[in-house]
Amino acid sequence: QIKDSATLTRDVLEQHFSDLKGTLKKLLDERLMSLLQEVDVIEQESIKPLDECQKLIEHGVSTADDLLREGESAVDGDVGQQNEKLCNFTKKALHIQLDSLPEVPSLVDVPCLSAQLDDCLLTVLKNQIFRHGTVASRPPVQLEEFVEKPGGILVRWCKVDEDFIPQDYRLQYRKSSASHFEDVYVGSETEFMVLHIDPNVDYQFRVCARGDGRQEWSPWSVPQTGRTSLVPHEWTTGLEGYSLSSRRNIALRNDSQSCGVLYSKAPTYFCGQTLTFRQVLFGIETVGQPDRRDSLGVCVEQRNGDDSLQRDKAVCISTNGAVFVNGKEMTNQLPAVTSGSTVTFDMEVVQLGPCSSEGGNFKLRVTISSNNREVVFDWVLDQCCGSLYFGCSFSYPGWKVLVF
């Protein structure tokens, strides 16, 4: 682990600084080009009036030189030609203003280009570069626990750096056969239920954190592998009163007048060799009109013809919060089920033995939780049950239930 992580860290640092050098060179080249273009513009705009002034002066000097040579020729000629040449010279000289010069800009008005380069940029860059990047020997958060769930994995993580104050966590996962991680959770909680997990397939997980008031994420935790051997919970198909999602883990009570109990496809809520039942979680996404016969719960067997789980060999909660055990309402009551509510069932075996003539040798300790309240009771059965069905029934349309 040390050698692999060190090699990976070297590669990341070398690639990052190589990219940084390329980007800095590109930015410096762009800035240089911009300044050179600015010099060209100032030079072209400033030299133009001076060039025009120079051309006027050179033209005047050339004209005066020609006139001078013409005067010398008139003086040096014979008498007959002198008078004519001197006459022409005089006329020409009167039309030429030899004492006229164009306005020449004063020296202070003529641009003098120079480059102003502040050495403090190097100091700023030097300070920033020397503080850029850190090497962490240990990430501030690490994965702590994987809990198998039907069709999912409950992932827990913890902070291992006491001086680190986390603001948010970021959990990623991928199939072991995939090349890239993908975000599955960003938030302040230290656990998350990852759904849509294929049974008996390895998944890799990693987590990082963002410090309080900071934008950048911490280094990733050491990737760890998790899997679930539990098949996903699914509602059974074919019941007219309910519409199911493609994964069959969401049931919607539709407008059909048909009623009845919607059961799970199989008794996937089971007791394994550990003698602890797996948890079934009902997530209420939308609600319809409540009815006293509504029910969410678990049962020993599917039974056609019933319109509720408020019967024998079943425990359930009604949408008004009433709890029923084998068809009898308990004194204790939970809050009413509303949109966004979660209802959980936890069970464990507290007594297991051969059934007597009076029965009652199979006892389950049941905990039903809803809206941060719970009831705990013993459910006595006359037979040993290795697995249980879950089910629901709603009299009116609009109820939407997710099970996992």
Side-chain angles (χ1 to χ4, degrees):
Q1 176 178 312
I2 295 176
K3 289 186 176 180
D4 290 344
S5 62
T7 300
L8 179 60
T9 302
R10 291 189 191 97
D11 293 341
V12 170
L13 288 171
E14 289 174 357
Q15 184 63 48
H16 174 76
F17 277 86
S18 176
D19 294 342
L20 197 60
K21 284 190 287 185
T23 303
L24 286 174
K25 184 180 183 306
K26 181 180 178 182
L27 293 173
L28 289 172
D29 288 343
E30 289 177 354
R31 181 57 179 163
L32 174 60
M33 186 60 64
S34 174
L35 291 173
L36 291 176
Q37 290 175 351
E38 191 175 341
V39 171
D40 292 341
V41 170
I42 295 175
E43 181 185 24
Q44 293 171 6
E45 292 179 349
S46 302
I47 206 70
K48 184 178 180 180
L50 295 177
D51 284 341
E52 292 175 351
C53 183
Q54 182 178 2
K55 289 178 181 179
L56 290 174
I57 293 174
E58 289 176 349
H59 178 70
V61 171
S62 176
T63 302
D65 188 49
D66 292 342
L67 187 62
L68 179 61
R69 284 196 296 271
E70 187 174 340
E72 290 176 346
S73 174
V75 172
D76 294 339
D78 54 31
V79 177
Q81 293 178 341
Q82 271 186 344
N83 291 332
E84 184 180 357
K85 290 182 177 181
L86 285 173
C87 183
N88 291 333
F89 172 76
T90 301
K91 291 179 180 179
K92 195 172 184 178
L94 291 174
H95 290 86
I96 298 176
Q97 296 180 348
L98 295 177
D99 59 346
S100 175
L101 289 174
E103 183 179 358
V104 179
S106 62
L107 189 60
V108 294
D109 294 329
V110 177
C112 180
L113 280 74
S114 62
Q116 304 299 313
L117 302 174
D118 193 346
D119 290 340
C120 73
L121 175 64
L122 295 177
T123 303
V124 172
L125 286 176
K126 182 178 178 181
N127 292 334
Q128 291 293 330
I129 289 172
F130 283 166
R131 290 199 301 267
H132 181 67
T134 57
V135 175
S137 60
R138 290 179 178 83
V141 292
Q142 291 285 6
L143 295 168
E144 183 178 30
E145 184 181 16
F146 298 105
V147 181
E148 290 185 76
K149 298 294 180 181
I153 301 175
L154 178 62
V155 183
R156 293 192 176 104
W157 54 89
C158 62
K159 186 181 72 167
V160 294
D161 184 350
E162 294 298 329
D163 297 328
F164 184 79
I165 302 176
Q167 173 180 300
D168 291 306
Y169 297 100
R170 181 182 179 188
L171 178 66
Q172 290 189 335
Y173 83 131
R174 69 177 180 186
K175 277 188 178 182
S176 294
S177 58
S179 57
H180 298 290
F181 283 90
E182 61 181 274
D183 287 343
V184 69
Y185 172 77
V186 175
S188 60
E189 300 297 327
T190 55
E191 67 177 36
F192 183 73
M193 172 76 78
V194 183
L195 297 176
H196 306 155
I197 295 293
D198 295 330
N200 302 311
V201 174
D202 286 340
Y203 287 81
Q204 281 194 321
F205 296 85
R206 65 182 185 181
V207 67
C208 65
R210 181 162 50 198
D212 189 25
R214 303 183 70 89
Q215 295 297 320
E216 70 276 7
W217 292 99
S218 73
W220 290 105
S221 66
V222 178
Q224 295 190 40
T225 300
R227 64 158 47 197
T228 181
S229 60
L230 306 175
V231 298
H233 288 313
E234 294 182 11
W235 298 105
T236 191
T237 58
L239 190 60
E240 185 179 346
Y242 295 87
S243 303
L244 306 183
S245 64
S246 59
R247 291 182 176 269
R248 296 182 292 280
N249 61 341
I250 299 177
L252 172 65
R253 180 66 168 92
N254 56 37
D255 295 333
S256 172
Q257 297 299 316
S258 175
C259 61
V261 178
L262 177 66
Y263 293 100
S264 57
K265 180 181 178 181
T268 51
Y269 187 20
F270 66 93
C271 175
Q273 294 300 318
T274 59
L275 300 181
T276 302
F277 279 94
R278 298 293 179 182
Q279 186 183 74
V280 175
L281 176 64
F282 296 96
I284 311 302
E285 295 192 354
T286 59
V287 298
Q289 180 181 342
D291 185 271
R292 65 181 186 84
R293 297 292 294 167
D294 294 340
S295 59
L296 285 167
V298 295
C299 57
V300 175
E301 60 191 6
Q302 294 182 341
R303 204 160 69 185
N304 297 327
D306 292 330
D307 62 356
S308 176
L309 285 176
Q310 298 171 19
R311 59 170 176 82
D312 63 328
K313 297 185 179 180
V315 294
C316 67
I317 177 176
S318 178
T319 50
N320 63 8
V323 177
F324 292 84
V325 182
N326 291 331
K328 296 180 180 179
E329 184 175 353
M330 293 184 61
T331 304
N332 294 335
Q333 185 165 329
L334 292 169
V337 176
T338 59
S339 180
S341 294
T342 57
V343 179
T344 63
F345 286 77
D346 267 314
M347 302 186 188
E348 67 174 310
V349 175
V350 293
Q351 182 177 336
L352 179 63
C355 294
S356 65
S357 58
E358 298 179 356
N361 282 331
F362 189 74
K363 184 186 296 184
L364 299 177
R365 180 71 43 80
V366 181
T367 302
I368 305 178
S369 303
S370 177
N371 293 336
N372 297 320
R373 287 181 58 187
E374 64 180 31
V375 294
V376 182
F377 56 90
D378 288 340
W379 182 22
V380 179
L381 296 171
D382 58 5
Q383 64 187 69
C384 299
C385 292
S387 58
L388 295 170
Y389 291 88
F390 57 86
C392 69
S393 65
F394 299 101
S395 299
Y396 297 100
W399 291 92
K400 190 176 183 181
V401 181
L402 165 69
V403 59
F404 60 90

